[in-house]
């Protein structure tokens, strides 16, 4: 667990409605796991596996999200005045999807730059972040079905568009780049965003005084 509440840890936790990271992951995991949508629930199990697999405190889960955000083009942590997803649950799942579809598509130089960015934001070692990413990729493969992964890919494409990128920019596959061109031409978009609830119980509301 990180010993210092870095700017990356604090800023990312606050997006999810928490003033600090210490109470974030356990609450967020339970929220995800308790959702009826199978994909969102299994993303919660992925986040939980990362936490348990590293004997972890809350910060490794945040680093996982920060890494996925970086791959999506959103930056490792939120910055005032930049685009963001309104639904934090979708942000987490899209970040997990970006790691699944984008991490191994990077060149060694690209991966090193991403690791440097996330390491700076979270004051963490690059080898730890790489280990978290590799563990997450293996866990996603183990926990998500073929149907889950197809839905997750659509979610990644939707999220990437928010940050000025396309699915093919992340996966680097010819098929996805060609699909991006077709989708632009037809104005086609995934329905995953509209299918998610507008408001979700990220945390309990403060008690009235």
């Amino acid at each position: 667990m990180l010993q210092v509440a870095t700017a990356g840890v604090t800023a990312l936790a606050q997006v999810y409605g928490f003033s600090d990271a210490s109470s974030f992951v356990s609450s967020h995991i339970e929220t995800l796991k308790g959702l009826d949508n199978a994909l969102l629930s299994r993303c919660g199990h992925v986040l939980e596996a990362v936490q348990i697999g590293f004997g972890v405190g809350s910060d490794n889960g945040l680093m996982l999200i920060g890494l996925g955000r970086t791959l999506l083009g959103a930056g490792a942590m939120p910055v005032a005045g930049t685009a963001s997803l309104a639904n934090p649950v979708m942000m987490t799942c899209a970040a997990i999807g970006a790691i699944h579809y984008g991490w191994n598509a990077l060149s060694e130089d690209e991966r090193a730059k991403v690791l440097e960015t996330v390491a700076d934001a979270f004051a963490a070692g690059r080898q730890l972040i790489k280990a978290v990413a590799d563990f997450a990729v293996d866990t996603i493969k183990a926990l998500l079905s073929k149907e889950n992964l197809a839905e997750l890919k659509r979610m990644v494409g939707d999220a990437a568009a928010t940050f000025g990128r396309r699915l093919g920019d992340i996966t680097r596959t010819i098929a996805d780049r060609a699909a991006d061109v077709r989708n632009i031409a037809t104005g086609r978009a995934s329905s995953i965003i509209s299918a998610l609830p507008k408001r979700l119980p990220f945390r309990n509301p403060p008690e009235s005084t």
Side-chain angles (χ1 to χ4, degrees):
M1 181 175 178
L2 301 181
Q3 299 301 311
V4 179
T6 65
V9 170
T10 301
L12 198 50
Q14 287 176 348
V15 168
Y16 291 85
F18 289 82
S19 59
D20 60 72
S22 61
S23 56
F24 166 70
V25 165
S26 59
S27 175
H28 193 48
I29 285 172
E30 292 309 311
T31 294
L32 287 164
K33 288 169 56 179
L35 295 174
D36 292 335
N37 182 288
L39 171 61
L40 305 185
S41 178
R42 291 187 185 186
C43 284
H45 285 281
V46 170
L47 200 59
E48 182 179 53
V50 169
Q51 183 179 13
I52 295 172
F54 284 84
V56 164
S58 58
D59 301 323
N60 286 322
L62 285 167
M63 281 191 292
L64 182 70
I65 297 169
L67 176 62
R69 284 177 55 92
T70 302
L71 296 176
L72 286 169
M77 61 181 182
V79 177
T82 60
S84 184
L85 296 183
N87 190 316
V89 163
M90 184 176 175
M91 184 73 258
T92 295
C93 296
I96 288 172
I99 292 170
H100 175 74
Y101 286 106
W103 178 244
N104 288 326
L106 298 175
S107 68
E108 288 298 323
D109 287 344
E110 290 171 329
R111 199 173 295 141
K113 290 178 181 177
V114 169
L115 289 173
E116 181 178 4
T117 297
V118 179
D120 287 346
F122 291 91
R126 298 180 191 181
Q127 287 304 311
L128 171 60
I129 298 167
K130 182 179 183 299
V132 168
D134 291 340
F135 182 86
V137 168
D138 290 341
T139 303
I140 292 164
K141 290 178 181 178
L143 294 183
L144 273 65
S145 68
K146 181 178 179 181
E147 292 75 18
N148 293 152
L149 290 173
E151 187 178 3
L152 187 64
K153 179 182 273 193
R154 291 193 294 272
M155 183 179 285
V156 171
D158 285 348
T162 300
F163 305 112
R165 305 194 72 198
R166 301 188 182 102
L167 179 62
D169 296 327
I170 296 170
T171 68
R172 309 293 178 84
T173 68
I174 295 174
D176 288 334
R177 290 185 185 278
D180 288 335
V181 173
R182 291 195 300 272
N183 290 341
I184 292 170
T186 61
R188 180 184 174 189
S190 167
S191 62
I192 186 66
I193 294 178
S194 60
L196 293 175
K198 296 293 184 183
R199 302 179 68 85
L200 288 166
F202 304 116
R203 62 171 181 176
N204 292 327
E207 294 182 2
S208 59
T209 56

